[in-house]
Amino acid sequence: MAVAQTKQSATEARLASLVAHEGGGWISSGRQAALERVRMMGLPDRRDEYWKYTRPDTLVQAEAPKAALFETTDPRVFDGIDRLKIVFTDGVFDADASDDLSLEGLNIERLADIAGKDIHWAKDLYGVLETNGQTPVERPLAALNTAFATDGVVIHVTGQVSKPVSLIYNHRSEVSDAMLHHLVKVDAGAKVTILENGPAAARFNKVMEVEIADGAEFHHVRAQGRDHERRAITHIFTRLGVESVFKSFTLTANGMMTRNECVIELTGDDAVAHVAGAAVGDGDFHHDDTVFITHDAVNCESRQVFKKVLRNGATGVFQGKILVKPDAQKTDGYQISQSLLLDEDSQFLAKPELEIYADDVACSHGSTSGAIDEEALFYLRARGVPKNIATDLLTLAFLAEAVLEIEDEALAEEISSRLEGWLVRHNG
Amino acid sequence: MLEIKDLKVKLEDEDKQILKGVNLTVEAGKVHAIMGPNGSGKSTLSYVLSGRDGYEVTDGSATLEGEDLLDMDPEERAALGMFLAFQYPVEIPGVGNMTFLRTAVNAQRKARGEDEMSASDFLKEIRAKAKTLKIDADMLKRPVNVGFSGGEKKRNEILQMAMLEPKMCILDETDSGLDVDAMKLVAEGVNALRSEGRGFLVITHYQRLLDHIKPDVVHIMANGRIVKTGGPELALEVENNGYADILAEVA
């Protein structure tokens, strides 16, 4: 079907605002193909079913909407964690603020440094998982990223790594419009943890493609920061081999527009994929978790645990789908999305979906939204705990189920304390 | 200690009068028991005194050591020394029992302008008190009341009472759902807390709890009022003859 005229002109307007990269190298053909995908699909507009609950306007429009900078001297998340730091400011690699990029067990390169080479292993991954992820549901903003992103990290994990690789995104310009494209290839039996934090830019479009080989493990903990006016569309595309593990957790606090898409393909038997998130928002906060998990192998396990705390008219969205292909017997799929609405102005929109073609599977899903448990609140108050502290305790307890999905205790503790800090600041 | 005068209470959402003029004074150091048939207003009285939503006081007063309780938030009443042992203790997933109790103890201390209890002092004290109630370390670590048996929940209530050291303790059908051994354990816990400066109001259907927690005064409540007051022998009378005789007598 041809792209509607209005969509086509909106797409062309956006493309005109971007600079096409010349210069050849292995990446050229991938970029060119991605640009063709964008033109074929057209960028999303509000008539798209997949964007029913989240208006894509500000993510698509030619210029990034201005976003005020958030000034704070508070320590940043993960500050206390021993890690290898890689810093991007408004989407530009910041060598001075970054650590030396060498670490045993992996090899880190910048996309900008390798893009001009004739041959690189990244060619087999760049845009490949993104392309796979375009069916059965189109994700044009990811293709846009593949076509135009100039930087990002390209990580090849070959063994055991002693500390997490931490991607830190600074936001210093009120009008920055940044794109980053990361590649992570985890070899058989290797294991890595990637951290991400920071608001990145006024508008941020990020894609991370993760190839996880047999018996490999990829752990990911992300904190989307406190700047409120920022807008972000992020995609993770991952493909899992036999007995491999993918675990991703995202904390989102504030943000006028955040959509995190996670597209997971379980292609090796006995693989495990967990994706979880805790989001807390106040006022004109809009947060969307969109997950698509395809089971295409035997005896795999997938788990989605998403919790949102919404107040003062905030909006939360969850679209989560589990697709079980005919041969994916013994699939174990679990999905829960819940929101705690702290007032009547806030809303949670959920669209849980299961599509199952195998007959020997166990899949369950649940979605709830509700207010603070009045019985529990009274019980705490009757023991002398003031109402605001009691509310925080119950709210944290609600979020804890998602935070528990983080395997590493120190990281879980760090996330928990950030959530607590947010609640204390936004109390009353 | 606790003084209730002509207390009249209706449901907030319905035009239904539950308490129709309750008069009751519990002196420091004394144990009062309230017995009465279902629907007489016993539990409502305990909820109104502890500050639960959903009730409207239409007349009368309730004071603790001269301070007006009815205008206070539940947490203010608790800090003043009011404690309700719940008939159905609430399960709170995700909040550790220990965290909960420490938060409560320190919130009350703070409200009274006292220093917070240090982590090590708190640990020492809770371990000792838990031991006498046969509450093990695992129960202390688990989320509040989650997965606790009926008996464990009630023992946990008594542990909270022991840690918070309130002035006025209301026990709302603490014997319900308990077997004989569990009831003994709970009663021992309560008896250990009996002291000169502390008042108790024990709400129960049955005499058997009062075999273990010996009351000084027994009240019979019916239809939103206290209809008869006497000594421990009144409880025995109820046990032997039921409420019918007493109600007929006062009617």
Side-chain angles (χ1 to χ4, degrees):
Chain A
M1 205 173 73
V3 173
Q5 186 62 46
T6 49
K7 186 180 254 200
Q8 200 178 343
S9 46
T11 301
E12 288 305 326
R14 175 65 177 130
L15 292 176
S17 72
L18 291 159
V19 184
H21 305 289
E22 309 293 335
W26 61 268
I27 206 169
S28 302
S29 57
R31 278 180 176 155
Q32 191 53 43
L35 181 58
E36 281 162 25
R37 280 199 295 284
V38 173
R39 287 213 157 96
M40 204 140 78
M41 297 184 277
L43 293 173
D45 64 25
R46 65 165 96 168
R47 281 173 291 275
D48 287 310
E49 181 65 24
Y50 213 47
W51 290 85
K52 191 171 174 181
Y53 307 118
T54 295
R55 289 182 58 165
D57 318 29
T58 53
L59 297 172
V60 169
Q61 69 188 53
E63 300 294 325
K66 206 168 156 181
L69 303 177
F70 184 84
E71 304 293 347
T72 178
T73 52
D74 292 353
R76 297 182 71 170
V77 65
F78 307 138
D79 270 3
I81 306 282
D82 183 27
R83 62 209 163 124
L84 185 143
K85 294 196 285 277
I86 303 175
V87 180
F88 290 90
T89 299
D90 293 305
V92 179
F93 177 69
D94 186 339
D96 293 337
S98 300
D99 290 336
D100 179 56
L101 298 189
S102 57
L103 186 63
E104 202 178 317
L106 50 67
N107 180 52
I108 304 173
E109 294 169 287
R110 279 180 60 200
L111 184 65
D113 290 342
I114 64 163
K117 292 184 178 177
D118 290 336
I119 305 171
H120 197 277
W121 64 262
K123 189 175 196 298
D124 295 331
L125 187 53
Y126 189 83
V128 173
L129 298 186
E130 176 256 296
T131 307
N132 280 351
Q134 297 293 352
T135 43
V137 190
E138 293 176 347
R139 305 168 202 282
L141 287 163
L144 184 77
N145 178 295
T146 302
F148 291 96
T150 52
D151 215 346
V153 288
V154 178
I155 302 177
H156 185 189
V157 187
T158 52
Q160 300 296 312
V161 185
S162 60
K163 55 184 172 186
V165 174
S166 180
L167 306 175
I168 299 163
Y169 307 125
N170 294 329
H171 175 204
R172 298 272 185 271
S173 154
E174 288 190 346
V175 293
S176 55
D177 191 10
M179 281 191 201
L180 289 174
H181 196 118
H182 305 310
L183 302 176
V184 183
K185 181 176 155 77
V186 193
D187 283 354
K191 180 178 176 181
V192 70
T193 298
I194 305 279
L195 308 177
E196 291 184 281
N197 72 287
R203 182 168 69 179
F204 188 38
N205 179 332
K206 192 206 68 189
V207 168
M208 184 185 280
E209 296 180 275
V210 185
E211 175 88 64
I212 308 171
D214 296 352
E217 283 190 40
F218 173 86
H219 296 264
H220 175 230
V221 179
R222 164 168 64 172
Q224 293 173 312
R226 277 190 258 162
D227 289 40
H228 183 58
E229 293 181 5
R230 70 188 153 80
R231 293 158 205 280
I233 169 77
T234 77
H235 291 83
I236 296 173
F237 296 94
T238 187
R239 186 160 62 189
L240 285 90
V242 176
E243 289 175 10
S244 66
V245 173
F246 168 89
K247 289 190 180 178
S248 172
F249 173 90
T250 301
L251 158 84
T252 307
N254 305 334
M256 279 173 79
M257 169 59 64
T258 308
R259 169 140 156 165
N260 295 326
E261 297 196 19
C262 189
V263 184
I264 298 170
E265 225 187 322
L266 295 146
T267 57
D269 295 348
D270 305 303
V272 172
H274 292 186
V275 52
V280 288
D282 196 334
D284 54 356
F285 166 87
H286 184 104
H287 181 83
D288 176 338
D289 287 301
T290 291
V291 180
F292 198 109
I293 300 179
T294 306
H295 281 262
D296 198 10
V298 175
N299 200 33
C300 292
E301 174 195 314
S302 73
R303 217 176 131 77
Q304 302 168 57
V305 180
F306 287 91
K307 299 268 191 168
K308 294 176 175 63
V309 173
L310 305 166
R311 60 184 303 160
N312 293 324
T315 301
V317 176
F318 174 76
Q319 301 190 102
K321 178 158 180 171
I322 305 173
L323 170 63
V324 181
K325 294 210 168 170
D327 293 331
Q329 301 295 358
K330 307 279 181 202
T331 285
D332 179 0
Y334 174 78
Q335 178 195 88
I336 183 92
S337 66
Q338 297 182 306
S339 74
L340 181 61
L341 304 174
L342 294 179
D343 52 60
E344 290 181 359
D345 299 325
S346 302
Q347 60 170 347
F348 176 53
L349 305 157
K351 188 179 170 192
E353 286 180 282
L354 294 176
E355 192 175 326
I356 302 172
Y357 296 101
D359 48 23
D360 183 14
V361 303
C363 282
S364 63
H365 68 91
S367 183
T368 63
S369 56
I372 283 272
D373 180 348
E374 290 293 333
E375 293 280 320
L377 188 63
F378 175 64
Y379 190 70
L380 291 170
R381 295 178 73 189
R383 294 296 176 256
V385 181
K387 189 178 181 184
N388 57 347
I389 297 175
T391 303
D392 284 356
L393 266 180
L394 293 174
T395 306
L396 267 183
F398 167 79
L399 293 167
E401 205 188 322
V403 179
L404 276 175
E405 296 290 311
I406 303 171
E407 252 185 38
D408 185 287
E409 266 182 43
L411 292 173
E413 183 59 38
E414 179 81 351
I415 292 296
S416 212
S417 73
R418 302 309 279 202
L419 284 167
E420 195 175 347
W422 189 92
L423 292 173
V424 169
R425 282 193 301 279
H426 288 257
N427 216 316
Chain B
M1 172 75 43
L2 177 68
E3 231 175 308
I4 303 169
K5 284 185 188 155
D6 196 30
L7 187 64
K8 292 179 184 164
V9 173
K10 69 180 269 294
L11 288 181
E12 210 167 55
D13 297 336
E14 296 175 47
D15 211 17
K16 191 176 169 191
Q17 200 73 30
I18 313 257
L19 300 183
K20 299 170 181 172
V22 173
N23 288 289
L24 178 67
T25 301
V26 180
E27 310 81 6
K30 300 288 184 195
V31 174
H32 285 229
I34 296 187
M35 302 180 77
N38 289 324
S40 56
K42 304 186 301 291
S43 285
T44 296
L45 179 64
S46 73
Y47 286 143
V48 169
L49 291 174
S50 53
R52 191 191 184 103
D53 283 342
Y55 303 98
E56 188 185 325
V57 176
T58 53
D59 204 4
S61 66
T63 57
L64 184 63
E65 290 194 314
E67 300 221 40
D68 181 9
L69 282 176
L70 300 178
D71 268 351
M72 291 183 198
D73 284 333
E75 55 267 37
E76 293 174 305
R77 302 180 195 206
L80 196 64
M82 175 64 86
F83 182 94
L84 170 65
F86 283 58
Q87 183 181 0
Y88 303 108
V90 182
E91 297 188 5
I92 312 182
V95 177
N97 216 4
M98 200 87 114
T99 309
F100 157 60
L101 253 173
R102 201 166 154 233
T103 307
V105 167
N106 282 332
Q108 289 201 13
R109 286 178 164 234
K110 198 176 162 197
R112 292 193 292 259
E114 300 164 11
D115 285 341
E116 292 197 353
M117 204 178 206
S118 76
S120 62
D121 286 350
F122 177 83
L123 258 177
K124 225 182 280 168
E125 199 173 322
I126 196 167
R127 279 192 184 136
K129 287 178 173 169
K131 201 174 168 192
T132 63
L133 287 160
K134 299 206 167 103
I135 291 175
D136 60 22
D138 181 53
M139 259 175 80
L140 290 178
K141 274 187 213 149
R142 266 150 57 188
V144 180
N145 294 326
V146 176
F148 287 25
S149 70
E152 286 173 334
K153 282 181 182 168
K154 295 297 169 79
R155 275 186 275 150
N156 201 26
E157 293 292 290
I158 306 305
L159 174 66
Q160 292 168 33
M161 192 191 288
M163 289 302 292
L164 293 166
E165 300 179 334
K167 290 176 189 154
M168 181 67 220
C169 307
I170 303 174
L171 280 69
D172 187 8
E173 298 197 20
T174 293
D175 50 340
S176 69
L178 293 189
D179 60 37
V180 181
D181 293 337
M183 187 158 62
K184 263 187 173 166
L185 204 58
V186 165
E188 279 166 21
V190 172
N191 287 332
L193 290 169
R194 291 178 74 157
S195 76
E196 291 280 307
R198 188 170 288 141
F200 284 88
L201 188 59
V202 180
I203 297 171
T204 182
H205 274 296
Y206 304 107
Q207 148 71 20
R208 54 176 196 174
L209 179 66
L210 304 180
D211 285 341
H212 302 289
I213 304 173
K214 299 230 181 314
D216 299 298
V217 183
V218 175
H219 308 272
I220 306 297
M221 195 164 181
N223 197 20
R225 286 191 186 88
I226 286 172
V227 293
K228 192 166 183 182
T229 296
E233 71 286 352
L234 192 53
L236 280 171
E237 196 185 325
V238 169
E239 185 73 5
N240 293 331
N241 306 330
Y243 292 111
D245 286 0
I246 296 168
L247 297 185
E249 177 190 325
V250 297

